[in-house]
């Protein structure tokens, strides 16, 4: 399957711990996006990359959050000193970057902070 | 900034009935408008998109949406609901960066 892959699918952690999520986009896509979705809400934009460059970050992305895409392929989203409010589904998506507007989403990584 | 309003967080219909999910965008016309669907425990999937080529857009699974500039609307319809249509539906505009700004979503329930 050559879709967007996210790992781990589920993560349970204690408050204060660090967590990292990985996203492998569709191979020929040069844009990669991170979204966060909480129960009953639509996905909220966090950040996006074009190749390895992080071009935009939402104000939702506090200093505890950092995202990288070191070689323009896979991306990681790290959350430091997790808080209970970080509990959410973290979604990754990728696109060709030709301004067609179509994103291809992974199944998400669900974070539960105890 | 682009935004959308989805009226009705929950919509319930009987199998075979008309499905109407409402979406109104902000006053400025976005380059693209989308409907995405999220089935339980699955990722978001593109249902259809508006790109100004045609005001009536047909998507997958029998869904369609009509762009009405005078009403700033992009409502999603399906003539006859099927049980498998039960899911969460999101309306989203996008600009030239492909970044989607999602609405709050509408959960569709279909009863037999």
């Amino acid at each position: 399957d050559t879709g967007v892959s996210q790992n781990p699918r589920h993560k349970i952690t204690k408050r204060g711990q660090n967590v990292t999520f990985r996203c492998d986009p569709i191979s020929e896509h040069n844009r990669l996006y991170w979204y966060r979705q909480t129960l009953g809400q639509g996905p909220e934009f966090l950040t996006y990359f074009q190749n390895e460059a992080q071009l935009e970050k939402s104000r939702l992305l506090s200093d505890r959050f950092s995202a990288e895409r070191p070689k323009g392929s896979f991306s990681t989203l790290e959350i430091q000193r997790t808080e209970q409010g970080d509990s959410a589904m973290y979604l990754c998506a990728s696109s060709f970057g030709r301004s067609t507007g179509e994103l291809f989403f992974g199944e998400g990584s669900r974070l539960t902070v105890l | 900034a682009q935004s959308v309003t989805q009226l009705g967080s929950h919509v319930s219909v009987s199998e075979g009935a008309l499905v109407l999910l409402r979406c109104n965008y902000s006053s400025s016309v976005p380059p693209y408008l989308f409907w995405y669907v999220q089935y339980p425990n699955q990722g978001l999937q593109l249902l259809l998109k508006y790109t100004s080529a045609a005001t009536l857009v047909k998507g997958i699974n029998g869904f369609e949406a009509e762009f009405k500039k005078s009403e700033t609307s992009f409502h999603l319809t399906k003539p006859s609901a099927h049980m498998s249509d039960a899911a969460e539906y999101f309306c989203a505009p996008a600009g030239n960066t492909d970044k989607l700004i999602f609405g709050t979503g509408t959960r569709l329930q279909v009863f037999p």
Side-chain angles (χ1 to χ4, degrees):
Chain A
D1 181 65
T2 56
V4 178
S5 175
Q6 292 188 245
N7 288 288
R9 293 291 310 282
H10 303 274
K11 179 72 176 179
I12 300 174
T13 191
K14 293 182 180 178
R15 189 176 54 184
Q17 298 295 304
N18 299 343
V19 296
T20 299
F21 299 112
R22 175 177 169 128
C23 172
D24 288 87
I26 294 171
S27 58
E28 59 266 32
H29 286 182
N30 62 11
R31 287 187 182 169
L32 186 148
Y33 305 77
W34 286 99
Y35 283 81
R36 180 174 68 187
Q37 186 177 22
T38 54
L39 198 62
Q41 299 296 317
E44 298 171 297
F45 171 78
L46 293 179
T47 188
Y48 95 95
F49 294 83
Q50 178 149 326
N51 300 314
E52 65 275 9
Q54 188 173 20
L55 297 187
E56 186 175 347
K57 291 195 298 185
S58 164
R59 285 174 293 178
L60 294 173
L61 215 62
S62 76
D63 292 344
R64 298 184 297 105
F65 287 71
S66 62
E68 294 182 342
R69 195 182 183 198
K71 296 181 180 179
S73 56
F74 73 91
S75 175
T76 58
L77 176 68
E78 181 183 16
I79 309 173
Q80 296 182 325
R81 306 181 302 282
T82 53
E83 302 172 356
Q84 287 185 326
D86 297 332
S87 296
M89 178 75 85
Y90 290 85
L91 301 172
C92 177
S94 66
S95 75
F96 284 105
R98 297 173 191 161
S99 298
T100 62
E102 181 174 354
L103 301 190
F104 294 80
F105 283 83
E107 294 184 334
S109 293
R110 182 172 295 284
L111 173 64
T112 301
V113 182
L114 303 177
Chain B
Q2 298 291 344
S3 66
V4 290
T5 301
Q6 290 187 242
L7 294 175
S9 58
H10 290 82
V11 170
S12 297
V13 300
S14 299
E15 194 172 20
L18 171 72
V19 176
L20 171 61
L21 305 182
R22 300 177 186 274
C23 172
N24 288 87
Y25 60 89
S26 60
S27 58
S28 57
V29 178
Y32 307 102
L33 272 168
F34 298 83
W35 277 97
Y36 276 78
V37 60
Q38 188 174 34
Y39 297 103
N41 300 315
Q42 294 187 30
L44 287 148
Q45 301 174 31
L46 178 67
L47 202 55
L48 53 79
K49 68 178 180 182
Y50 165 75
T51 60
S52 77
T55 56
L56 183 62
V57 183
K58 295 188 183 299
I60 61 171
N61 301 335
F63 284 92
E64 63 181 35
E66 186 171 7
F67 175 78
K68 292 186 177 180
K69 187 175 180 180
S70 61
E71 299 177 6
T72 64
S73 70
F74 190 56
H75 300 332
L76 182 70
T77 61
K78 181 174 181 177
S80 176
H82 191 273
M83 296 293 290
S84 61
D85 295 327
E88 186 118 26
Y89 292 80
F90 295 96
C91 181
N96 293 325
T97 63
D98 295 346
K99 182 180 78 175
L100 295 172
I101 305 298
F102 288 91
T104 51
T106 298
R107 182 167 296 280
L108 175 66
Q109 288 184 303
V110 182
F111 293 100

